């Protein structure tokens, strides 16, 4: 929405960028993100990605949100939240949250390698945990985030209750502060 784009343009720290600034996004480096932000050249997405992949992701997320809402006995809503931490504004777009913002939900598309990782490690990979830690920092009263891996059906759905891990939030905030300092000093390479 235009409101969401406006919030993102205000220099907020965004949950979806948390894995990147922490060095745990295999597709985008923090320098690539920094370059895009400093030069104001956001990534372009082709029509297929926008009209097929993203739309499918939203449809499966909507279906999963309804299933999880039925399981916990409360309706879940998609919501964008902000919270100030140490003079900076955290921004999180939650795939689901109760009216009390507890619990919150993060949805990811069904992926057997992702499910295998969770089964082996007992939690999602850093690409997801940094995003969820950021969300829990944005909504500090939320006790947990339900990380849902699904194709929008009960048959292919794995749910992991993620609770903030001591020390991770502090590392994340320190990572954001370092990213901001590096960004101020960044000279684009064209």
């Amino acid at each position: 929405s235009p409101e969401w784009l406006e919030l993102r343009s205000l220099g907020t720290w965004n949950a979806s960028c948390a894995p990147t600034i922490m060095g745990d996004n295999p597709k985008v480096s923090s320098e690539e993100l920094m370059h895009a932000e400093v030069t104001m050249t956001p990534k372009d997405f082709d029509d297929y990605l926008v009209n097929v992949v993203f739309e499918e992701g939203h449809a499966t997320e909507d279906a999963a949100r309804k299933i999880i809402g039925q399981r916990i006995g409360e309706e879940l809503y998609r919501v964008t939240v902000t919270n100030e931490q140490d003079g900076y504004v955290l921004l999180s777009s939650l795939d689901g949250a109760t009216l009390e913002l507890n619990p919150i939900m993060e949805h990811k598309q069904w992926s057997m390698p992702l499910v295998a990782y969770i089964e082996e490690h007992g939690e999602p990979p850093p690409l997801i945990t940094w995003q969820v830690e950021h969300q829990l920092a944005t909504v500090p009263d939320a006790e947990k985030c339900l990380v849902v891996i699904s194709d929008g059906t009960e048959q292919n759905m794995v749910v992991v209750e993620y609770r903030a891990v001591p020390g991770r939030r502090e590392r994340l905030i320190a990572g954001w502060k370092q990213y901001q300092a590096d960004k101020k000093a960044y000279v684009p390479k064209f």
Side-chain angles (χ1 to χ4, degrees):
S1 72
E3 295 84 5
W4 180 81
L5 290 171
E6 182 181 344
L7 273 173
R8 285 188 65 114
S9 73
L10 296 176
T12 55
W13 292 353
N14 305 308
S16 60
C17 297
T20 304
I21 65 102
M22 295 303 290
D24 282 315
N25 184 339
K27 295 182 180 178
V28 181
S29 72
S30 62
E31 186 168 332
E32 289 170 314
L33 175 64
M34 194 176 303
H35 181 81
E37 288 182 348
V38 169
T39 62
M40 298 173 63
T41 52
K43 184 174 181 172
D44 285 327
F45 298 106
D46 64 33
D47 288 343
Y48 175 79
L49 198 60
V50 171
N51 297 323
V52 177
V53 176
F54 288 174
E55 286 304 314
E56 180 182 319
H58 290 300
T60 58
E61 176 189 309
D62 289 344
R65 186 172 33 259
K66 288 177 185 155
I67 292 168
I68 297 301
Q70 289 170 349
R71 285 185 183 181
I72 67 171
E74 287 190 65
E75 192 166 353
L76 296 172
Y77 304 90
R78 207 177 329 175
V79 63
T80 300
V81 293
T82 60
N83 186 16
E84 189 174 324
Q85 287 261 338
D86 296 335
Y88 297 98
V89 178
L90 302 177
L91 171 68
S92 294
S93 297
L94 306 176
D95 295 337
T98 63
L99 288 175
E100 297 80 27
L101 297 176
N102 189 29
I104 61 175
M105 180 187 113
E106 176 61 29
H107 181 266
K108 299 296 182 190
Q109 286 289 92
W110 180 257
S111 157
M112 285 308 297
L114 180 52
V115 170
Y117 184 98
I118 291 168
E119 288 173 351
E120 181 179 341
H121 299 278
E123 71 175 13
L127 178 66
I128 297 172
T129 56
W130 286 122
Q131 181 180 5
V132 174
E133 280 288 342
H134 185 106
Q135 292 170 345
L136 289 169
T138 308
V139 186
D141 291 337
E143 296 172 14
K144 63 186 172 188
C145 178
L146 303 175
V147 179
V148 181
I149 316 303
S150 84
D151 63 1
T153 67
E154 290 267 5
Q155 295 77 23
N156 291 324
M157 180 176 283
V158 171
V159 181
V160 178
E161 284 190 11
Y162 183 90
R163 295 173 189 271
V165 174
R168 278 191 188 160
R169 182 174 299 174
E170 293 77 12
R171 284 180 50 212
L172 176 65
I173 298 300
W176 271 114
K177 287 180 178 180
Q178 184 61 56
Y179 177 79
Q180 289 301 119
D182 293 346
K183 188 172 155 183
K184 286 180 183 174
Y186 181 73
V187 177
K189 299 171 192 146
F190 292 98

